[in-house]
Amino acid sequence: MPVITNIADLKRIHERRVPRMFYDYAESGSWTEQTFRENTTDFEQIRLRQKVAVDMSGRSTAGKMIGQDVTMPVALAPVGLTGMQHADGEIKAARAAEAFGVPYTLSTMSINSIEDVAEATTKPFWFQLYTMNDTDYTSRLIQRAKDAGCSALVITLDLQLLGQRHKDLKNGLSAPPKLTARTIANLATKWAWGIEMLGAKRREFGNIVGHVDGIDDPASLGAWTAQQFDLTLDWSKISKLMEQWGGKVILKGILDPEDAKMAVKVGADAITVSNHGGRQLDGALSSIRMLTPILDAVGGDIEVHLDSGIRSGQDVLKALAMGANGTMIGRSYIYGLGAMGQKGVSTALEVIRKELDMTMALCGETNVANLGRHNLLIPQGFEGTWQD
Ligand code: GLV
C-alpha cells in the first residue's frame, strides 16, 4: 500500500492506472491551457501569515454550505465521465462524500445515473444540470433529480458549447472507449481498470442512454453537447428552470461581477465562481483572482463558493480567508478515485482536511469561520489592472 501524503501522490497513481483517454480528459484545459495552469499557479502567489503562541486546541473545520452541515466547506464538483475513471465511479465518490460529511454533485454527463446514485446512498446529493434543446428531456431530468431527493440543483452556465481540449479529439474520447488499435494497445496495459470495469453497473452515459432517442453517437461527449446543449440559454430561461426545480439552486460558472449580480437578481441560493477548471474559455482569469471583485459586487447578498484550482487544504484556506463561503474540488478527488476507487476519494478528502486543519492552526486560528484576510498576504495588484 503506497503512503499517500498529498494530492499529487494520488495523481501519479491515477495516471498509471487509468486508460490514457480518461486521464487526459480529466487533466486537460482548453486550447493553450493557460487558464487551467493559472488556476493553480495563482494560488501559489498568495502567502499565509504565521501566528504563534495562540491556543490551538479544540479546532473545527465544520461549517455550512447552502444551509447544510458540512464537516469542512468542500463540496465534490460535478465531473463528466467519472464512472470511466473507476468502475461505478459516481457511486463510489458519492459514498465517500457521504461518509465524510461533504456534499457530492452528480453531473448530467455521468456514467451512473441519478437513480443509481440515489439507490447506493442514504443522504441527499446535489444534481448538476446541463440544459438541452429537448426541453422535455430537461424537464424529465429535473423531475428525476426531485424524485431522487437531491437537495440542490447546480445549474452550469459556462458550457453551452464544449471548449476544445486538443487531447480529447486526438484520443477519440468516448464512453465506453471505442476499440481502435491505439486504444487497445493502451487498454492492454490497464488490466486492473479493465477487470473492474467489466463488473461495472454501467459503461455508458447513464442519464442519457435509454432516456432520449435520436443521438448520432451517444458514446461521444462532443457529439452530444454539439447536438443537444441549449445555445439559447439566458437569464429568463435560468429563472424558469429555477421555478421548475423549486428548491435550492447553485449557479455554477460565474466569473464576472455583473453576472454575479444577475445571479442575486434571479434569486439563486449560491454561486460557484468557476472557469470550469480552465476547460472552457482559455485566456480567462483564474477563479481565485476573480474572487475579490465578485465578493465586492455581491458578498453578503448570496453565498459564494470557489471552484477551479484547489489541490490542497492550504488552497481551501486561502479561498475561505479571502471571503468565500465554501469551495468545490474536481480533479483533486478524481485523482483519488482513479488511483484507488472509493478509498482514494476518502483519502483525498482526508488529505485536504488535515492540511486545512494544520494550516489553520499554524495561522493561529481554531475555526474556519474566523478565517479572514488578516491570515493572508496577497500580492499588490493580484486581481490585475485592466483597461476600461
Ligand atoms: C464537462 O463538463 C467537461 O468539462 O468536459
Side-chain angles (χ1 to χ4, degrees):
M1 193 61 191
V3 179
I4 305 295
T5 57
N6 58 18
I7 296 296
D9 286 345
L10 294 169
K11 179 177 168 183
R12 271 190 295 277
I13 304 173
H14 177 206
E15 183 170 12
R16 272 206 308 273
R17 200 176 182 282
V18 172
R20 195 75 216 174
M21 77 164 65
F22 301 120
Y23 175 78
D24 280 350
Y25 170 71
E27 201 45 23
S28 291
S30 55
W31 291 316
T32 71
E33 301 192 330
Q34 179 189 29
T35 301
F36 168 56
R37 284 189 300 278
E38 289 181 356
N39 276 337
T40 50
T41 55
D42 281 353
F43 266 108
E44 290 166 13
Q45 291 190 37
I46 302 169
R47 305 298 166 83
L48 303 168
R49 281 187 70 192
Q50 172 174 306
K51 296 290 285 175
V52 297
V54 176
D55 177 356
M56 49 174 79
S57 58
R59 297 186 304 279
S60 171
T61 60
K64 282 190 190 292
M65 290 175 82
I66 56 161
Q68 299 171 11
D69 289 326
V70 291
T71 51
M72 64 177 173
V74 179
L76 271 53
V79 177
L81 284 78
T82 295
M84 283 289 121
Q85 306 293 356
H86 201 282
D88 295 324
E90 289 87 1
I91 288 178
K92 288 179 178 150
R95 281 185 170 157
E98 177 173 321
F100 202 87
V102 292
Y104 172 71
T105 318
L106 181 72
S107 165
T108 293
M109 303 310 294
S110 57
I111 303 299
N112 289 130
S113 66
I114 303 174
E115 294 77 12
D116 294 340
V117 176
E119 251 171 53
T121 51
T122 61
K123 295 208 190 99
F125 54 95
W126 298 351
F127 180 66
Q128 175 269 341
L129 182 76
Y130 280 127
T131 51
M132 312 283 172
N133 291 324
D134 181 343
T135 49
D136 286 344
Y137 172 69
T138 305
S139 299
R140 286 201 303 276
L141 260 184
I142 292 177
Q143 191 55 49
R144 286 169 60 196
K146 275 192 208 179
D147 293 344
C150 293
S151 55
L153 189 69
V154 178
I155 308 179
T156 297
L157 302 183
D158 59 2
L159 199 149
Q160 277 153 275
L161 41 77
L162 191 69
Q164 178 168 312
R165 300 104 192 219
H166 301 319
K167 285 178 234 148
D168 292 351
L169 297 176
K170 295 193 164 100
N171 290 335
L173 175 74
S174 70
K178 294 203 175 87
L179 297 179
T180 63
R182 192 160 165 234
T183 53
I184 291 169
N186 184 248
L187 286 173
T189 66
K190 313 287 178 190
W191 53 269
W193 176 92
I195 289 168
E196 276 161 9
M197 203 48 83
L198 286 175
K201 209 172 169 92
R202 288 180 205 279
R203 289 175 284 276
E204 301 171 314
F205 290 108
N207 290 323
I208 294 169
V209 174
H211 295 275
V212 69
D213 304 320
I215 305 302
D216 294 346
D217 183 1
S220 159
L221 179 69
W224 172 259
T225 46
Q227 285 183 3
Q228 273 295 321
F229 280 26
D230 182 7
L231 287 174
T232 68
L233 180 70
D234 61 11
W235 288 102
S236 71
K237 287 196 173 181
I238 293 165
S239 293
K240 287 199 188 99
L241 291 167
M242 288 173 61
E243 220 170 280
Q244 219 176 323
W245 171 250
K248 299 254 177 179
V249 168
I250 301 170
L251 296 181
K252 179 168 180 285
I254 303 274
L255 204 64
D256 185 271
E258 294 308 314
D259 288 341
K261 286 185 194 164
M262 285 305 295
V264 174
K265 202 163 161 194
V266 296
D269 296 279
I271 56 170
T272 315
V273 177
S274 172
N275 51 40
H276 214 105
R279 301 162 72 76
Q280 288 296 103
L281 180 63
D282 186 40
L285 288 184
S286 64
S287 296
I288 193 68
R289 277 227 248 178
M290 288 309 297
L291 182 59
T292 299
I294 289 176
L295 285 167
D296 288 347
V298 299
D301 298 332
I302 192 167
E303 213 171 290
V304 177
H305 303 161
L306 189 285
D307 167 79
S308 302
I310 292 177
R311 303 287 185 274
S312 67
Q314 288 92 313
D315 294 342
V316 172
L317 182 136
K318 288 173 183 176
L320 298 176
M322 279 182 91
N325 306 97
T327 61
M328 268 195 159
I329 54 167
R331 293 183 181 94
S332 288
Y333 85 84
I334 291 293
Y335 299 147
L337 181 74
M340 44 185 82
Q342 184 170 331
K343 182 161 186 353
V345 179
S346 306
T347 303
L349 287 167
E350 191 45 40
V351 162
I352 288 177
R353 191 204 60 77
K354 192 169 164 195
E355 290 169 341
L356 172 61
D357 178 58
M358 281 188 69
T359 310
M360 185 171 76
L362 295 171
C363 285
E365 301 289 347
T366 54
N367 195 307
V368 282
N370 299 334
L371 295 169
R373 291 193 174 233
H374 59 277
N375 301 118
L376 302 179
L377 297 163
I378 304 171
Q380 296 272 354
F382 181 63
E383 289 82 26
T385 40
W386 315 99
Q387 290 185 6
D388 285 334

